[in-house]
Amino acid sequence: MAAAGGEAAAAALAAAKKRAASRSWILFDAAGEERELDADKYAIMHRVDINARDLRILDPLLSYPSTILGRERAIVLNLQHIKAIVTSEEVLLRDPSDENVIPVVEELRRRLAPSSAAQHDGKDNLSGQHDAEAAEEDESPFEFRALEVTLEAICSFLDARTTELETNAYPALDDLTSKISSHNLDKVRKLKSGMTRLTARVQKVRDELEQLLDDDDDMADLYLSRKLAGASSPVSGSGGPNWFPASPTIGSKISRASRASAATIHGNENDVEELEMLLEAYFMQIDGTLNKLTTLREYIDDTEDYINIQLDNHRNQLIQLELFLSSGTVCLSLYSLVAGVFGMNIPYTWNDGHGYVFKWVVIVSGLFCAFMFVTIVAYARHKGLVGS
């Protein structure tokens, strides 16, 4: 019975883990509603009509570069820690409980909520025409508003990390310049490693945006509402919703791009000016972040060059000291040679009665060794081997 109880507990735990894993998505729809989505990957694939390899890009256990993929009915976003699927009516965000994703959830909750003006018109106007006019007051297609939130979040996140790195790096580099120590060197080493990783992350996002901007077909694939409207009414040129508000209320980049665009859904299918303006704005922002990191890297390289010059100077000073010591050792060895010769315990007849010679031998040998030392040093200075 105890074994059966243990198996039941293990099964319950496994089921709880499975439910927790399946609840790793949060869904926002165009009506402003949100809910946790209790679905496995097959249900997600069927819901947004994407294949398994596209969903695999969003697996947090796998390492994929930053990617923005346009599919027939969805946009697959893998922007570092922000992993989402955007359709023309829904946004599915993965791992909403992650501390870096929580700000994205809050921003989606705020930006995708229906405007008060639209809600008011929906209550007061009972006719279908007035309801349609209320729906037309959205600033832009739903998928572009969701895409703007994710791009703004990842650009702001990387820019904040860059600012934090700059705040820590510049004082550490200045400390290292003033005092070369193991502690300062280790601190700079850690900061440089962090900068290298952050630069790689920023570079991947920038490359993905640049690749999208260079390909009009890829940008056209992101117009989900246009494709949906074209599939439902391929001939009509005036029956779709208008995404351009008469009096915009949110001063965002996407709304400005919407007002500048001349056709969104039923216009020219190759017209990607609206999305291009949106991507261009965030491309410039992420490019500015990359320029900050490039400037920081140059400052680190300059500091390393300065440190190497200082170390070379110290090394040269040690070499000069070694030269002086070696010269002094050679001179003293000659002095010791003379002392050794006269100190031999060998009987010589000239040793008798010549004790006064001792002081002259000592004086002459000392003067000769000093003269030899000065000569070596003067020669080294003449040849530029030592500083003046």
Side-chain angles (χ1 to χ4, degrees), residues 171 254 271 279 352 360 366 375:
I254 186 65
D271 183 10
L279 296 178
D352 299 333
W360 290 107
T375 303

Side-chain angles (χ1 to χ4, degrees), residues 215-281:
D215 196 329
D216 289 348
D217 293 335
D218 288 344
M219 286 191 287
D221 289 338
L222 303 183
Y223 280 78
L224 303 180
S225 299
R226 175 189 292 177
K227 291 189 289 186
L228 183 62
S232 60
S233 56
V235 178
S236 174
S238 61
N242 180 16
W243 297 111
F244 302 95
S247 57
T249 59
I250 301 177
S252 62
K253 301 180 183 66
I254 186 65
S255 61
R256 294 195 298 269
S258 302
R259 294 195 300 271
S261 179
T264 303
I265 294 179
H266 289 282
N268 184 6
E269 293 183 356
N270 295 325
D271 183 10
V272 294
E273 180 182 359
E274 178 182 357
L275 180 59
E276 185 176 7
M277 292 179 67
L278 171 64
L279 296 178
E280 184 71 26

Side-chain angles (χ1 to χ4, degrees), residues 87-361:
T87 69
S88 59
E89 298 177 350
E90 296 176 341
V91 178
L92 285 80
L93 185 65
R94 187 151 199 169
D95 297 331
S97 60
D98 187 272
E99 61 178 356
N100 293 325
V101 183
I102 290 177
V104 185
V105 175
E106 295 176 352
E107 189 66 15
L108 284 172
R109 186 180 294 123
R110 184 182 69 85
R111 300 277 282 273
L112 299 184
S115 63
S116 57
Q119 293 175 352
H120 182 268
D121 291 339
K123 292 180 180 178
D124 294 343
N125 300 321
L126 300 179
S127 64
Q129 180 181 0
H130 289 170
D131 290 338
E133 291 176 356
E136 291 172 4
E137 291 186 9
D138 288 337
E139 268 66 13
S140 60
F142 177 82
E143 64 270 18
F144 285 1
R145 285 187 285 147
L147 179 61
E148 181 187 13
V149 171
T150 56
L151 288 175
E152 182 178 351
I154 189 62
C155 290
S156 300
F157 174 82
L158 294 175
D159 187 68
R161 293 296 179 272
T162 301
T163 303
E164 180 182 357
L165 181 64
E166 287 179 327
T167 304
N168 297 328
Y170 285 112
L173 291 171
D174 294 338
D175 292 341
L176 180 62
T177 302
S178 59
K179 181 181 180 181
I180 302 175
S181 63
S182 299
H183 175 71
N184 291 336
L185 286 172
D186 185 65
K187 185 189 298 184
V188 172
R189 179 188 62 82
K190 293 179 180 178
L191 289 172
K192 186 175 181 181
S193 299
M195 184 201 65
T196 302
R197 292 192 297 267
L198 183 58
T199 302
R201 297 173 66 181
V202 173
Q203 185 69 50
K204 290 177 182 177
V205 176
R206 181 188 180 279
D207 291 344
E208 181 62 23
L209 292 177
E210 185 177 19
Q211 183 178 356
L212 275 175
L213 287 170
D214 291 340
D215 196 329
D216 289 348
D217 293 335
D218 288 344
M219 286 191 287
D221 289 338
L222 303 183
Y223 280 78
L224 303 180
S225 299
R226 175 189 292 177
K227 291 189 289 186
L228 183 62
S232 60
S233 56
V235 178
S236 174
S238 61
N242 180 16
W243 297 111
F244 302 95
S247 57
T249 59
I250 301 177
S252 62
K253 301 180 183 66
I254 186 65
S255 61
R256 294 195 298 269
S258 302
R259 294 195 300 271
S261 179
T264 303
I265 294 179
H266 289 282
N268 184 6
E269 293 183 356
N270 295 325
D271 183 10
V272 294
E273 180 182 359
E274 178 182 357
L275 180 59
E276 185 176 7
M277 292 179 67
L278 171 64
L279 296 178
E280 184 71 26
Y282 289 105
F283 175 79
M284 295 299 294
Q285 182 176 349
I286 200 69
D287 191 59
T289 302
L290 185 61
N291 288 336
K292 290 181 182 179
L293 291 171
T294 303
T295 303
L296 179 58
R297 176 178 288 277
E298 292 175 353
Y299 192 83
I300 291 177
D301 292 340
D302 293 341
T303 303
E304 289 180 347
D305 293 339
Y306 178 76
I307 297 302
N308 289 331
I309 291 174
Q310 281 190 325
L311 294 177
D312 290 340
N313 184 43
H314 292 162
R315 191 178 300 112
N316 292 335
Q317 292 178 354
L318 291 176
I319 293 175
Q320 293 178 15
L321 178 61
E322 183 181 4
L323 175 62
F324 291 147
L325 294 177
S326 300
S327 301
T329 302
V330 170
C331 295
L332 289 177
S333 63
L334 293 177
Y335 190 81
S336 301
L337 175 63
V338 174
V341 169
F342 284 93
M344 292 181 185
N345 191 16
I346 300 176
Y348 291 103
T349 57
W350 56 268
N351 283 341
D352 299 333
H354 297 85
Y356 63 93
V357 180
F358 173 77
K359 61 179 180 180
W360 290 107
V361 171

